[in-house]
Amino acid sequence: MPLKISDATISTFDSAFEKFKAEAPNNKANFILFLADKDPSTSLSWCPDCVRAEPVIYKKLEATPDDVALLRAYVGDRPTWRNAHHPWRVDSRFKLTGVPTLIRWENDAIKGRLEDHEAHVENKINALLAGN
């Protein structure tokens, strides 16, 4: 299967991201999807935009014949994410402002991104996948 998915949480992100970056040259495209955790009592995401975007993103990435890597980075529960000092809000590499955020990672830098309100739009995902 051309789509390779790995998962990370705030606590496991650094090691997962290092592995992701080390394997990046083997793939045609590399993406990081920052998204909300699922509520353990319902198994549903607390983020409606994530619920809307995830299936569309997976469908588009799975449809490509190329080798694509996706690192899913879970931001935590709503109170954790809402903290202004959340590690990915203040990280100079990502500067997250909302979830979901889909980032194309290329040459050790962000090549493009789609944020919460646009992460479900198919033509924008296609453009990001194409490297535009």
Side-chain angles (χ1 to χ4, degrees):
M1 181 162 95
L3 178 61
K4 295 174 274 197
I5 298 176
S6 54
D7 292 330
T9 61
I10 297 168
S11 61
T12 64
F13 183 77
D14 288 342
S15 61
F17 188 51
E18 287 306 313
K19 184 173 189 269
F20 173 81
K21 291 192 302 183
E23 295 172 357
N26 303 329
N27 303 310
K28 175 85 175 172
N30 298 281
F31 295 92
I32 306 167
L33 176 59
F34 292 94
L35 67 164
D37 283 20
K38 298 204 181 334
D39 181 325
S41 64
T42 63
S43 296
L44 300 173
S45 173
W46 56 260
C47 163
D49 287 336
C50 296
V51 171
R52 181 171 59 166
E54 270 190 273
V56 182
I57 291 168
Y58 299 147
K59 180 179 87 172
K60 289 297 178 183
L61 296 183
E62 288 169 355
T64 181
D66 300 318
D67 286 335
V68 173
L70 176 65
L71 174 58
R72 293 186 298 199
Y74 291 92
V75 302
D77 60 17
R78 188 185 305 261
T80 301
W81 170 244
R82 292 283 181 225
N83 183 329
H85 301 290
H86 187 287
W88 297 328
R89 286 186 184 273
V90 298
D91 188 317
S92 62
R93 294 171 298 185
F94 306 118
K95 297 180 188 143
L96 289 190
T97 59
V99 288
T101 297
L102 180 64
I103 289 175
R104 183 173 177 133
W105 188 261
E106 198 171 288
N107 299 321
D108 217 27
I110 293 174
K111 168 80 166 53
R113 71 192 294 150
L114 296 175
E115 296 184 342
D116 46 15
H117 60 282
E118 60 187 3
H120 69 284
V121 180
E122 290 192 34
N123 64 333
K124 291 188 176 198
I125 297 168
N126 287 341
L128 195 63
L129 186 57
N132 299 334

